[in-house]
Amino acid sequence: MQCLLCLRTTMSSLHDSFDEQGQVDDDSVATLTTTPRVEAAVHYTVHDILKTIAKSQHVSFSKSTIATITKLTIDQAGILAEDVQAFAKHAKRATVQEADVKLAARRRSSLVARLDVMAQDNKARPAKKRSKSDKA
């Protein structure tokens, strides 16, 4: 349960980088996966998920395994960011939209279903007012 809470917290902080229409500019997507803070959050989340799996499956994961899975996760996020940027650019847009993410995930129906649920949750949230410093 804690790993889901951690993941939700991480996703919630990432959600704050999006505007009211669920769009984020290209520069934000490019820097999102390269910041030490995000890397640390991903590492913590991977560690927490693997700890939960280890307890339920009676297995253990070495520190190098956790580090490798973290690196793979960050690399895959970078690839996803490049893909959604390419989809937005192909559509002659400067911003990545929800449809671009769904298009990138189209081969995994379970992921598309989760994205739909997340999109509905995001639409149900009241829009945050952004200050002038947030827009810069």
Side-chain angles (χ1 to χ4, degrees):
M1 186 66 176
Q2 287 179 337
C3 63
L4 293 176
L5 179 62
C6 176
L7 185 57
R8 182 172 292 276
T9 303
T10 303
M11 294 304 291
S12 186
S13 67
L14 294 177
H15 171 73
D16 294 340
S17 65
F18 289 84
D19 66 12
E20 294 81 25
Q21 290 81 33
Q23 300 175 348
V24 63
D25 65 21
D26 292 343
D27 294 333
S28 296
V29 172
T31 59
L32 195 59
T33 58
T34 59
T35 63
R37 184 175 175 188
V38 172
E39 288 179 14
V42 171
H43 180 80
Y44 177 80
T45 303
V46 166
H47 179 267
D48 214 23
I49 290 170
L50 292 179
K51 188 166 61 173
T52 302
I53 292 170
K55 283 182 183 178
S56 67
Q57 301 294 323
H58 306 292
V59 296
S60 62
F61 297 96
S62 68
K63 289 182 180 182
S64 64
T65 300
I66 296 169
T68 301
I69 292 172
T70 299
K71 175 91 171 89
L72 288 171
T73 303
I74 291 169
D75 290 349
Q76 285 298 313
I79 291 168
L80 175 64
E82 290 173 4
D83 287 348
V84 296
Q85 282 179 321
F87 295 147
K89 188 174 183 178
H90 178 73
K92 296 178 175 45
R93 287 184 275 108
T95 56
V96 173
Q97 296 180 349
E98 181 182 312
D100 301 317
V101 177
K102 287 182 180 179
L103 184 60
R106 70 189 176 278
R107 293 189 181 129
R108 295 192 53 206
S109 58
S110 62
L111 182 56
V112 172
R114 280 187 166 183
L115 289 171
D116 287 338
V117 170
M118 288 177 69
Q120 291 300 323
D121 289 347
N122 287 340
K123 287 179 185 174
R125 283 185 186 177
K128 269 185 156 180
K129 286 190 175 184
R130 296 177 75 182
S131 67
K132 288 183 181 181
S133 63
D134 289 343
K135 293 179 184 178

